[in-house]
Amino acid sequence: MPLFDLPLSQLRSYISDVTMPDDLREFWDATIRDARAYPLNARFEPVENYLSVIDTFDVTFAGYGGEPIKGWLHLPATRDSGSRLPVVVQYVGYSGGRGLANQETGWAQAGYAHFIMDTRGQGYGFALGETADLHPSAGGVGYAGFMTRGVGSREDYYYRRVYTDAFRAVEAAQSHPEVDPARVVLAGGSQGGGIVVAVSGLVAGRLDGVVAALPDVPFLQDFTRAIDITPRGPYPEIAAFLARHRDRYEQVVDVLRYFDGVNLGRWATAPTLYSAALSDDICPPSTVFASFNAYGSGTSDASGPGPTKEIEVYRFNNHEGGQEHHWIKQVLFLRRLLA
C-alpha cells in the first residue's frame, strides 16, 4: 500500500489534539482500587506443552470485577533452581486469545519468564481464547466487534475491563515464586501494544517493578484522528457506529479519552521501544507517533527529561511491521537495559 499518512519528518513532531480529562487519574485510581478489593487468587497449574525446553503453567487470576482471567506462564526448562527470572508480560492483538500451550513461547526461549494474558471476550481470530466477558454491557447496543462495546459510558466501556485485567496480570506474574517482581517487561503488538501503553501509564505510582515497555505498532492511540483516517478495521467500527448514531459523536469521543494511550502513556516512567510502519492502514503511523511523542511527557519536569524512549520505523511495511526483525531489536534492547 502507498504511504497515505503524514511524511516521516512531520510524524516525528506530530502532537495529538486529544485532551486529558480533568478526572482521569481519579477515574483510574478508583478502577484499580475496586479491582484490588478482590483477592488476586493467582493459580498456576502445570500442563503438557509437548516442548522439551519450556515448562508451561495454565494461569487463572482475578481481573476486573474479580472475574476469572486465563493466561499462560512459560519458563525455560533449564532455569537455575532458586533463581528468579525477569518476566515479559505479553498482551495479544485484536481478535486473538492466549492460544495453545505450545503456540507462543519466544520470550521463554530467550531466557525470560513469559506470561501471556488471555483477552476477555476475544480468541475467535488468529489464536484461541478461553476468557468470557461477563459484564452486562457486553450485550448492549454496539457495532459488531469490541470498539463500541459499552461505549455509552466510561464505566461500562470494554477497554476499562481489559486494561484492568492487564494491570492485574502484572500482579499475577509478579506473584509467581520464580519471577523477579522487580524486573517486569510489558510487550505486545497492535491491540497488545495499545494495552502495553495503557498499563505502562497505569502502573506508574500504583505498582512497582515494570522496567520496560515494548509497544509494537500499537492500536488504541489517538482515537479521534484514527476514526477519521483509518481505512481498515478495527477503528472503522467506531465510525460505522457513529454513521448510524449521528448524534453521539461528542459523547463517544469523551468516553474514549479515558482509554486513549496518548493520555495514559503520559504517566509512564519505564524505558520504551516502540515500532511504527509507514504503510500501516490499521494503526496509522500518525496515531503511533502521537502516542510515542506523548509517552512519559507527564513525568518530564525540572527533575529530569522523562523516560528513555526509542522508535523503530518500518518504511515499506503495513500492519505487520518489523515482525521477526523487530523481535531481535527488542531482545537487544532488553539485554542492554537489564544487563
Side-chain angles (χ1 to χ4, degrees), residues 114-128:
H114 184 182
F115 187 107
I116 303 176
M117 186 191 85
D118 210 15
T119 307
R120 62 167 61 220
Q122 298 189 33
Y124 59 88
F126 60 89
L128 180 71

Side-chain angles (χ1 to χ4, degrees), residues 271-307:
T272 188
L273 172 62
Y274 273 66
S275 77
L278 296 192
S279 294
D280 192 341
D281 61 350
I282 291 178
C283 295
S286 58
T287 67
V288 176
F289 271 90
S291 175
F292 175 76
N293 293 335
Y295 184 94
S297 61
T299 65
S300 302
D301 54 27
S303 64

Side-chain angles (χ1 to χ4, degrees), residues 11 42 44 119 121 129 144 148 155-156 158 166 175 214 224 243 295 303 315:
L11 291 172
F44 302 86
T119 307
T148 61
E155 288 78 15
D156 289 340
Y158 172 73
S175 73
L214 306 175
T224 50
Y295 184 94
S303 64
R315 182 176 184 86

Side-chain angles (χ1 to χ4, degrees), residues 284-336:
S286 58
T287 67
V288 176
F289 271 90
S291 175
F292 175 76
N293 293 335
Y295 184 94
S297 61
T299 65
S300 302
D301 54 27
S303 64
T308 301
K309 55 186 185 180
E310 302 175 20
I311 187 167
E312 289 287 338
V313 177
Y314 297 95
R315 182 176 184 86
F316 300 104
N317 290 95
N318 202 302
H319 193 53
E320 75 279 1
Q323 294 182 309
E324 65 274 16
H325 301 276
H326 189 65
W327 188 80
I328 293 172
K329 293 179 185 296
Q330 291 176 324
V331 170
L332 295 175
F333 180 82
L334 293 186
R335 284 182 181 177
R336 295 195 307 268

Side-chain angles (χ1 to χ4, degrees), residues 19-316:
T19 57
M20 183 177 285
D22 292 338
D23 61 347
L24 184 67
R25 189 173 298 277
E26 290 78 7
F27 172 76
W28 281 107
D29 281 343
T31 298
I32 300 302
R33 183 173 60 249
D34 290 349
R36 282 173 158 171
Y38 297 91
L40 182 62
N41 196 26
R43 302 188 301 278
F44 302 86
E45 301 291 337
V47 296
E48 176 61 71
N49 63 12
Y50 310 101
L51 302 172
S52 61
V53 296
I54 303 292
D55 293 333
T56 297
F57 301 83
D58 184 358
V59 182
T60 308
F61 65 95
Y64 179 89
E67 295 162 1
I69 307 300
K70 300 297 291 183
W72 298 122
L73 176 66
H74 303 299
L75 300 175
T78 56
R79 62 195 181 276
D80 295 332
S81 177
S83 66
R84 289 192 160 202
L85 296 170
V87 61
V88 176
V89 178
Q90 179 181 346
Y91 306 112
V92 182
Y94 193 85
S95 84
R98 66 175 182 168
L100 301 180
N102 62 340
Q103 194 167 346
E104 180 72 50
T105 63
W107 287 111
Q109 294 178 57
Y112 299 90
H114 184 182
F115 187 107
I116 303 176
M117 186 191 85
D118 210 15
T119 307
R120 62 167 61 220
Q122 298 189 33
Y124 59 88
F126 60 89
L128 180 71
E130 298 186 48
T131 301
D133 183 14
L134 302 176
H135 195 269
S137 69
V141 173
Y143 189 80
F146 299 91
M147 299 306 296
T148 61
R149 179 175 287 187
V151 78
S153 74
R154 60 183 187 172
E155 288 78 15
D156 289 340
Y157 189 48
Y158 172 73
Y159 282 100
R160 184 189 188 204
R161 303 189 289 282
V162 173
Y163 290 176
T164 304
D165 296 342
F167 182 99
R168 299 233 79 191
V170 176
E171 295 181 308
Q174 289 176 315
S175 73
H176 192 275
E178 295 187 77
V179 165
D180 183 348
R183 292 187 292 169
V184 178
V185 177
L186 308 178
S190 193
Q191 175 184 253
I195 297 171
V196 167
V197 176
V199 176
S200 297
L202 292 176
V203 297
R206 299 183 180 96
L207 180 65
D208 294 331
V210 173
V211 297
L214 306 175
D216 187 10
V217 289
F219 181 47
L220 307 168
Q221 316 297 304
D222 199 6
F223 277 108
T224 50
R225 179 169 175 81
I227 62 179
D228 280 347
I229 72 167
T230 309
R232 195 156 60 108
Y235 285 122
E237 292 176 18
I238 303 172
F241 177 83
L242 293 173
R244 174 52 55 194
H245 298 273
R246 297 170 173 85
D247 59 340
R248 295 186 61 180
Y249 176 79
E250 296 297 337
Q251 176 261 324
V252 166
V253 166
D254 184 61
V255 168
L256 294 175
R257 291 190 303 148
Y258 289 85
F259 307 94
D260 198 317
V262 172
N263 284 334
L264 295 175
R266 296 182 198 277
W267 294 336
T269 60
T272 188
L273 172 62
Y274 273 66
S275 77
L278 296 192
S279 294
D280 192 341
D281 61 350
I282 291 178
C283 295
S286 58
T287 67
V288 176
F289 271 90
S291 175
F292 175 76
N293 293 335
Y295 184 94
S297 61
T299 65
S300 302
D301 54 27
S303 64
T308 301
K309 55 186 185 180
E310 302 175 20
I311 187 167
E312 289 287 338
V313 177
Y314 297 95
R315 182 176 184 86
F316 300 104

